[in-house]
Structures are given as structure tokens and as C-alpha cells.
Amino acid sequence: MRVVLRWGIGFVLATLAIWCVGAFFVSDERQLRWNEEIGSLVYCEGDYDYCKEGWGTVFFRDDGLLGARKPLASYERYVVFYGDSFVESLQVGDSGSVYTQFTELAQKSGRPWRGLAVAASGWNLEDHVALLPIYAKRIPRCVAHVIVISGADMVRPESSARTDPVGARHSLTALSRRFNAQSIAKRWQLQSFFVIVRSACAAFRDLRLRPGPVLASANKKRKKVCGDVCPEYYESLLDALQDHSRGRRIVVVYHSLIPQLNHGRIDETDPFAPAFRQFRALCRKRKIECLDATPALCEYTRRSGRFPHGFANSFPGQGHWNRQGHRLIAQVVLDYLMASQQSTD
Amino acid sequence: MLFSQLVFLFFLAAVLLFLLVVRGNRARKLFLLAASYYFYAYWDWRFCSLLLISTLVDFWVGQGLKATADPRRRRALLMCSLVVNLGLLGFFKYFNFFIESLQVALAPLGWRLETLDIILPVGISFYTFQTLSYTIDVYRGRLKTCDDFWDFALFVSFFPQLVAGPIVRAADFLPQLESTRPLTRERFFLGSRQFIYGLVKKVLLADQLAQVSDFTFDNLGAFDGWTTWVGVLCYAGQIYCDFSGYTDMAIGCARALGYDLCPNFNHPYVATSVTEFWRRWHISLSTWLRDYLYIPLGGNRKGVRRTYVNLMVTMLLGGLWHGAAWTFLFWGGFHGVALVIDKRLRVFDRLASAGLPAKLLGWAYTMLVVTVAWVFFRAQSFGDAWTCVREMFDVVHFGEGVHWISTRAAICLPVIVVTHAISATRWKHLPELPADRWYTPAILFFLIWLVLLFRPEAFTPFVYFQF
């Protein structure tokens, strides 16, 4: 009996220990909630830590914007980046993100522009087209709306439906907790251990969130833009984008999975290039500016032997942009905006 | 069915339950035999026939050796066992290798030979050596013939050690079958503890390090010197944790079932000479090669030169045992040369009484030899191996190329270093959690939780299954 009791207590202790580690450290498991004001699903407000590839902390505002902790100022001029998990920048944190580095680069170049972002994992062009008019209204002094699309978007026509309220049957509220295990870990220099443990504990529920009331409008059906046939699908999306672009500068920035390491060689073959060429032709027909960031990314790797994708916790040349990748994209956008401003002047 | 898969745990639980219910030794052994064949058939039922052929031939040879004292007839029986066992091994494992090598040699003459589509039966190298040891020992008169076919069949096919060792000697295992083995709580605890340690080595260390070493070896030529070194060290860690993890699980399983298997590893990376490394690495194979190859060749009894030749032959064949490729042969030869140097300089004997600095120097040299040798063991070709070695030692271009120090390497490699370092101190018994301490269950369950959290999504077989 004593043996059974001892092993039973041991099991409970071990389970508790692992649950605490997992539960306290899964703050990268972001929870979406329906935002009545924006009319869209956004992440619960708060700092989110990420550690699967690289690691960093990103602050998600209540209105779904990234890159500004304080309220937006009417005197500031903003450049808003719309994107997916790349722009979401969880792998590098706020400080290394494309929007923060854009702000830094712009200020160095004497332009008082501030970068912001509206991004979430899995969002694609359909989501951006739906969100752009909403945020364009909220941020009137906007220099440009930059839509960042990846090569995978070219062959993934279905929307991730993040902006579709179906499924948002619940609302979640963030709780604040000053002292959690993470701060203890940092104090004790145990971060590297928890990086590994946390990354494997994604199944645990985030303790920082509690369920709230379901909002009635969350159940409102939203009209889908189009079906899933690529050319027609993109044409309808770009038509919608063209409508939104009246009076606004809209720039589409394309990037792909290249350059990659392939059997010891730097591979610059973009598998999505044919689809992108078609897409760019459709953009040009509608006078929507479409930039290709891949040459800048490839050029950087050729020059330095480093990759704009990949981290210590993942593989070089694979996965999301690292800090340098974010900087390169920011530079591509800044160069374009500066050049177009000069030509206008 | 891998030891690290959930299905194996169900299988093991069922076997244990049956053994607990059934008290008779005979019934238990027959059930274990059936379970072992089921375990092997789970991978590919057709190759059970090979296992059966090996068993039948060696049992028959053993009976024949018992029945006759005529040296010529005894030698003929031994030859029969060698031809059948090594013939099967040679056909399934080395046929295509020899054909491909011949193709290269005959290419200038315009001759073309066809290879066959042969599947390598898992564990064939292990059970072939195991049955051969029985026949040779009986032939030499060092072992009593086994008269019970079912016992002998269980010795050959006992599932914990069937597919990747340790290579059990008949003299160690057959006597354990004579009486009913105790299934005590203590044995179950010790077996489970060792099984969990093995699981931790496999899932938390080997599978994590494999991701780094696989990526490094898939992209040789792209990295700077540091990254290549880390990748190769990760492979050294991976292969140790993978194989010794498997061995721990096998020994743990067997212990829980009531049987004892010989240890196969003893912290090999603390060795201060290559000779000592081979006394700590894959002990069951190295002692097999010593007893059935090196000593019959003459060992060190026929002069210095002959000793070196014997060492080289033993290590070359040891290399070839691992795999049908020239890189494995080179790996064996590389270790052979290192052992010859050891013997020539009497490194092992001198270091036994040397001070710490000399031991550290010996350790650094041994690690260098072993690590470089792993490059040839892991690389797909000599070209790849050479690229890797060049990246590791090219001082002029050491900093050129992609720099990537993986977090997995930064966490897992120190764990291996620490466990090895502890083994060389007076705290070496620290990992042996006592059964009667309150914290033992909590730590073991914590490890199980970690294994469950980190379990690989993909199928990750043990490295030594391919041998």
C-alpha cells in the first residue's frame, strides 16, 4: 500500500511539475477573440513569447496592431505592413521585426515614418484585402499600406478564414501576471532549458487567458470573396484591392522560400516563380505596385554566406525570416517608398 | 515495432502480464518464444524463416558435435554452420556491395553485372554472430550442448536483444533458461528504470542531435569549420545515445522479464586511449571479435608484426560487419591503425599509471581519432567524408561558410559531457535512483512526461537497425 501511495504521489508531483512548466510557458499559444470595433478576429492583448525557431517577445495590441505600445499619435506618419507569420515576427520579437527595423532605417534616412503591422499566422491576401479598409480608416495618416505575401500564398488560394467569424464562438480575456515562471527562469539563467521545454508543451492551455462572453456579432456570416480557382480568385481580390487603393498607396511585396541550403549549395530556384509572374502581371494591369524582394534576399546570401531565413533553434535557410531577413524586407520597402517619393517630388 | 513506440509498450505489458499469470517455466519460455517471433514478424514475417533456418542449423550442428568426437567430422559440422550462417549474412548484406564493387573494377572491360533488389533483414548481423558463438563454443568444448530445441530457439530469438544486440553468449543466457526466473518487484523497478533511461537517451538526446547531424551531413561543403565540428560532435553524441539507449531498453526489458543481458556500453567517451574506447564501446561486439576472430588468428602470441596484422584484420572485418560500404571498411581500418599505434606506444598501459595531464592529453587524442572516424561512418561516400574532414581542419578557410550553432546541440551535447564526466568521479552512482527514496517515482515520471512531450512525430528507427 505504501509503495502504491509513493508512486501515486510521485506521478502527481511529476505531472504537476511538467504541467506548471508547460502551462506557464506557453504564451506563444495566442488566442483569437472577436473584436467588435474592428469587426475582425484579433489576438488577445498582451506580450507573447516565442521560442520555436528563434525567440522574442511581441506585443499584440487590443486593436490587432503590432509595433506600437502607446496609442497612435495623430501627428505620426505610419507605414502599415499586412502579412502572415513572417510579418507577425514572433521569431525575432518586436525589436527585430520588419516594422521596427523599418522605423529605424527610415529615421536614419531622415524620414519620420513609423512601421506598424497587422499580421497573424496563416493570413493571406484575402485576409489582407478584408482588413485593409478597416485599418485604413483607423490610421488616416498612412504613408503606405504594404501587403507582404509569400510564395506559398501563390498556390494557397483558400483563406485561412481568420477574418471569418465562424468559429469565434467565444471571447477570451487576457489576465495579467507579473511574476511568472518565465521571469524566474530568466533570473536563474535557465532560459535555454525552458526554450526547449516550452516549445514542446504547446498542448497546454495558456493560463493567462480566461473565457469571456460571446459577442452576438461574432456569429455574423461574412461573404467569401471568391472560390478557389487561382486566376479568377486573384483577379477578384486584386479588383477589390484596386477599389481600396483610391487615395492610398498600396504596395505588394513578394518573397519566397529562397535562398535555401540544398545539398551544400545555395539554391535560388523559386518554386513559386511562375505563379508570381502571373500574379505580378495581374497587379500591373491594375496599376498596383508589386515588388519582388527575393533578389535582395538572394544577393545578401551570395554576399555574406548567411541566410535571411532560419535560426539557431531551426535550420539555416529554412523557416521564417531571422532578424536580417526582416531588415532586408524593411530596406526593400523603404528604398521603394523613398524612390517613389523622390519621383513625386 | 520500435522500443520507443507506444505499440511496443502495449506488447511488453501484455508479455509481462502473461508471465505474471503463468508460473510454469516451460509455458513461460514457449510464450516468450512465440512473442519473440511475433515481434520479429511485426517488421516482416517472411524473414522469420531466416531466423528459423539459423536456429535449426545451429541446433542440429550442436547435436552433431555432441554425438561425435571425430575431429574431421566435427570440423565439417562447424564449417556447415559457418557456411550457412555467413552465407545468409553474405547474401543478404554484402551481395550487392560486392557486385557494385566488381562493376567498378570490370567497367574498363565493358562488363556489366546486375545487382539484386535485396531487403536487409533487420538484426541479421546480431543473431548470426550470436548463433555462431554457440556453435564455436560447443566445437571448442567450452560449452555444453543445448539439448532443448525450444530453449535454443529462445536464445536466438529473445526479442529484447534480437534486432540490435547486445550479442548475447549462449554460456550467459542458456543457463538462465534452466530454472523459473523470478519476477520480483525489485527486478521490475530496475528494469523499468533502465528502460526509461534508454528512452530518455533515444528520444531526448539522440533524436534531437540527429536533426543537427543530419542537416550538417546533408549539406556538407556549405558550413564553416565550427559548424562542421558541432555537426560531427552531434553525430558522435547521437550514435552513442541511440545505440546505448537501445541497449539500455533491451537490458531493462529483459530484466523486467526476469533475464539478465550483458552490458554493452560503459561511457566510451571518457576513454583515454583507443584501446580503452573499444573496451567501453559496443562491448559485446568487441569481445566477440576478440574471442572468435583476433585470438583464433593468433592474437598477440605470434610476434609483433603478426599482432598488428591480426588487429587490422579484426578491425577491418569489424568495420565491414557494420555495413556493406567502403566507408565502413575504412572506419574499421582507421580504428585498426589507431589500435596499432596504441599497441606500439603502449598507450593503454602507460596511461594506467599516468597523472591527470597525460590522461587529459590521451583523452583529447582519443576523442579526435574517434570523432574523425565517425565522419567516415556517417558519410554517404568518401567524397562527402573528405569534404567534411577538409572543413574541420582547413585552418585557412575555417571561418568561411554558413555559421550555425544549433540550440539542440548547445543543450544536448553538454548533457552527454556531464553524464560522462560524472561517470569518472566518485558520484558515478548518482543516476542510479534508489527504489526506496520518495523522489525516485517523481523523477522517473517526470522523465516519462518529457519523453512523451518530445516524442518524435516521424518514425525514427535506431541507427544500428541498419546493421
Side-chain angles (χ1 to χ4, degrees):
Chain A
M1 190 61 199
R2 272 185 64 187
V3 173
V4 173
L5 194 68
R6 202 152 50 81
W7 283 86
I9 291 170
F11 176 76
V12 172
L13 281 177
T15 310
L16 262 176
I18 207 86
W19 186 79
C20 285
V21 170
F24 278 85
F25 284 88
V26 195
S27 51
D28 61 314
E29 286 300 301
R30 303 169 307 287
Q31 300 287 332
L32 285 160
R33 70 178 183 85
W34 181 254
N35 186 314
E36 190 75 23
E37 210 177 329
I38 305 286
S40 165
L41 287 172
V42 295
Y43 289 126
C44 286
E45 188 182 54
D47 281 310
Y48 290 87
D49 296 326
Y50 190 86
C51 59
K52 282 177 184 147
E53 295 172 72
W55 48 84
T57 304
V58 173
F59 178 69
F60 284 80
R61 282 165 57 109
D62 191 39
D63 56 5
L65 280 170
L66 301 169
R69 281 182 185 265
K70 293 174 193 166
L72 301 184
S74 57
Y75 55 85
E76 295 258 45
R77 304 210 62 195
Y78 294 103
V79 171
V80 186
F81 291 83
Y82 299 77
D84 55 10
S85 54
F86 281 83
V87 176
E88 199 181 31
S89 68
L90 285 158
Q91 302 80 17
V92 292
D94 270 329
S95 61
S97 63
V98 60
Y99 42 87
T100 306
Q101 296 207 63
F102 175 84
T103 308
E104 288 166 11
L105 289 169
Q107 282 172 356
K108 269 186 199 162
S109 310
R111 302 294 196 283
W113 298 333
R114 283 185 65 85
L116 294 174
V118 180
S121 304
W123 280 3
N124 66 12
L125 190 61
E126 188 176 323
D127 298 299
H128 308 323
V129 170
L131 288 169
L132 194 141
I134 298 169
Y135 284 97
K137 262 187 214 160
R138 292 179 67 83
I139 312 165
R141 285 171 65 84
C142 204
V143 179
H145 297 272
V146 180
I147 295 175
V148 182
I149 55 167
S150 65
D153 281 348
M154 299 287 115
V155 289
R156 189 189 60 193
E158 75 278 8
S159 166
S160 63
R162 293 292 196 214
T163 49
D164 189 335
V166 176
R169 305 281 175 199
H170 60 283
S171 161
L172 289 155
T173 312
L175 301 169
S176 65
R177 189 174 56 240
R178 281 182 193 172
F179 301 105
N180 59 12
Q182 190 196 353
S183 59
I184 298 167
K186 275 180 180 161
R187 204 172 300 155
W188 291 352
Q189 301 298 307
L190 291 171
Q191 186 68 3
S192 54
F193 168 70
F194 285 105
V195 159
I196 289 291
V197 175
R198 237 170 49 174
S199 61
C201 294
F204 287 95
R205 208 175 131 251
D206 195 331
L207 285 184
R208 302 178 321 150
L209 302 164
R210 70 176 171 214
V214 178
L215 301 171
S217 62
N219 296 326
K220 188 177 66 181
K221 287 274 180 205
R222 186 178 286 241
K223 201 174 73 179
K224 291 278 284 181
V225 175
C226 190
D228 56 1
V229 183
C230 274
E232 293 83 0
Y233 172 76
Y234 282 118
E235 279 188 19
S236 64
L237 280 179
L238 290 172
D239 286 343
L241 201 61
Q242 197 181 22
D243 288 345
H244 299 328
S245 69
R246 288 187 194 108
R248 300 178 189 122
R249 185 187 294 277
I250 293 176
V251 185
V252 177
V253 179
Y254 168 78
H255 69 99
S256 192
L257 308 170
I258 56 169
Q260 275 189 1
L261 252 187
N262 191 1
H263 294 292
R265 292 174 198 283
I266 295 169
D267 190 353
E268 294 185 2
T269 317
D270 181 4
F272 304 110
F276 171 61
R277 277 196 293 273
Q278 283 181 16
F279 177 81
R280 186 156 62 178
L282 294 174
C283 284
R284 280 182 180 159
K285 219 166 106 183
R286 288 162 181 80
K287 294 193 168 49
I288 295 170
E289 195 59 50
C290 186
L291 308 177
D292 183 2
T294 52
L297 301 178
C298 292
E299 165 60 20
Y300 166 73
T301 303
R302 257 180 265 132
R303 188 164 33 84
S304 66
R306 305 267 183 263
F307 287 88
H309 305 84
F311 300 85
N313 215 19
S314 62
F315 303 105
Q318 292 181 13
H320 291 94
W321 300 324
N322 50 35
R323 185 176 266 268
Q324 187 59 41
H326 278 265
R327 193 170 190 83
L328 289 167
I329 298 293
Q331 189 70 58
V332 166
V333 174
L334 180 67
D335 288 348
Y336 167 76
L337 290 178
M338 283 168 57
S340 61
Q341 194 188 39
Q342 276 168 3
S343 65
T344 315
D345 294 344
Chain B
M1 200 189 312
L2 295 180
F3 284 1
S4 50
Q5 282 179 315
L6 208 60
V7 63
F8 176 77
L9 295 182
F10 287 122
F11 167 76
L12 185 63
V15 172
L16 266 169
L17 205 67
F18 185 88
L19 295 189
L20 280 171
V21 172
V22 176
R23 298 280 172 183
N25 190 29
R26 187 95 189 142
R28 276 185 178 182
K29 285 189 292 188
L30 286 175
F31 178 75
L32 274 177
L33 180 64
S36 298
Y37 269 81
Y38 173 77
F39 177 80
Y40 199 64
Y42 197 88
W43 168 69
D44 192 331
W45 62 271
R46 291 169 300 172
F47 291 114
C48 283
S49 57
L50 289 181
L51 197 62
L52 193 62
I53 289 170
S54 241
T55 310
L56 285 168
V57 167
D58 284 291
F59 183 74
W60 174 74
V61 167
Q63 292 299 310
L65 288 169
K66 186 185 175 187
T68 180
D70 177 13
R72 276 170 56 191
R73 196 170 149 68
R74 286 176 68 84
R75 194 169 300 139
L77 282 166
L78 177 67
M79 285 309 292
C80 174
S81 168
L82 289 172
V83 166
V84 171
N85 284 300
L86 295 179
L88 285 174
L89 181 65
F91 176 74
F92 281 99
K93 191 163 180 175
Y94 301 105
F95 181 80
N96 280 346
F97 169 62
F98 286 123
I99 292 294
E100 281 163 11
S101 302
L102 265 178
Q103 267 180 358
V104 175
L106 297 176
L109 301 172
W111 293 358
R112 179 148 183 83
L113 298 168
E114 291 299 319
T115 54
L116 298 177
D117 192 14
I118 301 172
I119 303 169
L120 178 68
V122 68
I124 191 168
S125 309
F126 289 91
Y127 68 73
T128 301
F129 271 34
Q130 195 158 309
T131 52
L132 277 180
S133 77
Y134 165 78
T135 319
I136 297 168
D137 281 351
V138 171
Y139 172 77
R140 287 172 174 172
R142 291 179 186 171
L143 184 70
K144 213 174 75 180
T145 309
C146 176
D147 291 326
D148 189 327
F149 174 74
W150 305 110
D151 277 11
F152 184 74
L154 181 56
F155 155 67
V156 178
S157 63
F158 186 49
F159 74 86
Q161 46 82 50
L162 176 60
V163 290
I167 303 167
V168 180
R169 303 285 181 89
D172 296 328
F173 193 76
L174 286 173
Q176 296 185 49
L177 299 176
E178 286 169 7
S179 57
T180 311
R181 302 297 292 173
L183 289 175
T184 60
R185 194 187 292 159
E186 191 197 355
R187 285 193 79 89
F188 181 75
F189 167 75
L190 293 174
S192 307
R193 191 185 66 186
Q194 194 150 4
F195 189 88
I196 292 167
Y197 286 170
L199 208 55
V200 167
K201 276 185 191 171
K202 167 68 179 158
V203 178
L204 295 187
L205 297 173
D207 287 348
Q208 300 292 327
L209 288 172
Q211 295 189 40
V212 184
S213 64
D214 287 351
F215 192 77
T216 309
F217 278 92
D218 285 348
N219 292 290
L220 288 171
F223 300 109
D224 66 2
W226 293 113
T227 309
T228 311
W229 266 104
V230 170
V232 174
L233 287 172
C234 281
Y235 183 69
Q238 179 207 341
I239 196 157
Y240 165 69
C241 291
D242 193 284
F243 193 21
S244 77
Y246 173 86
T247 308
D248 281 343
M249 284 190 261
I251 294 171
C253 268
R255 187 170 287 173
L257 296 172
Y259 300 90
D260 293 314
L261 302 181
C262 55
N264 217 12
F265 290 90
N266 181 19
H267 298 93
Y269 294 137
V270 295
T272 51
S273 66
V274 182
T275 308
E276 191 190 348
F277 174 80
W278 278 102
R279 291 178 188 192
R280 290 170 172 271
W281 176 271
H282 202 171
I283 300 164
S284 64
L285 175 71
S286 53
T287 51
W288 196 100
L289 291 171
R290 182 196 66 198
D291 295 345
Y292 300 105
L293 193 60
Y294 177 68
I295 293 174
L297 284 170
N300 59 3
R301 304 183 307 276
K302 296 190 175 175
V304 177
R305 273 191 197 168
R306 185 63 192 272
T307 304
Y308 299 157
V309 171
N310 291 342
L311 261 178
M312 284 305 295
V313 170
T314 306
M315 292 312 293
L316 283 169
L317 288 176
L320 201 59
W321 176 88
H322 281 87
W326 289 102
T327 46
F328 287 112
L329 203 68
F330 184 88
W331 173 79
F334 193 83
H335 270 282
V337 170
L339 285 171
V340 167
I341 294 168
D342 256 27
K343 213 146 196 93
R344 176 82 184 151
L345 301 175
R346 292 175 45 239
V347 175
F348 183 70
D349 299 331
R350 286 182 182 176
L351 282 175
S353 55
L356 187 65
K359 280 187 174 166
L360 280 176
L361 206 65
W363 172 80
Y365 162 75
T366 308
M367 279 305 294
L368 185 70
V369 169
V370 170
T371 309
V372 172
W374 284 135
V375 172
F376 292 89
F377 193 89
R378 172 62 177 79
Q380 297 292 325
S381 64
F382 275 114
D384 280 2
W386 176 240
T387 305
C388 186
V389 171
R390 208 178 49 220
E391 280 184 336
M392 289 163 78
F393 293 101
D394 188 352
V395 183
V396 180
H397 304 101
F398 198 76
E400 292 176 12
V402 176
H403 181 72
W404 172 59
I405 302 299
S406 165
T407 319
R408 287 184 177 86
I411 292 170
C412 297
L413 285 178
V415 172
I416 299 172
V417 170
V418 168
T419 50
H420 271 73
I422 287 174
S423 77
T425 66
R426 63 194 168 97
W427 295 294
K428 62 182 169 190
H429 299 296
L430 203 66
E432 294 170 14
L433 295 169
D436 55 351
R437 290 282 184 272
W438 67 269
Y439 53 80
T440 300
I443 292 175
L444 290 179
F445 277 124
F446 187 79
L447 290 175
I448 291 172
W449 269 118
L450 284 184
V451 166
L452 287 173
L453 287 169
F454 284 95
R455 70 189 183 280
E457 286 164 17
F459 179 72
T460 53
F462 291 89
V463 174
Y464 262 68
F465 274 19
Q466 62 184 299
F467 307 139

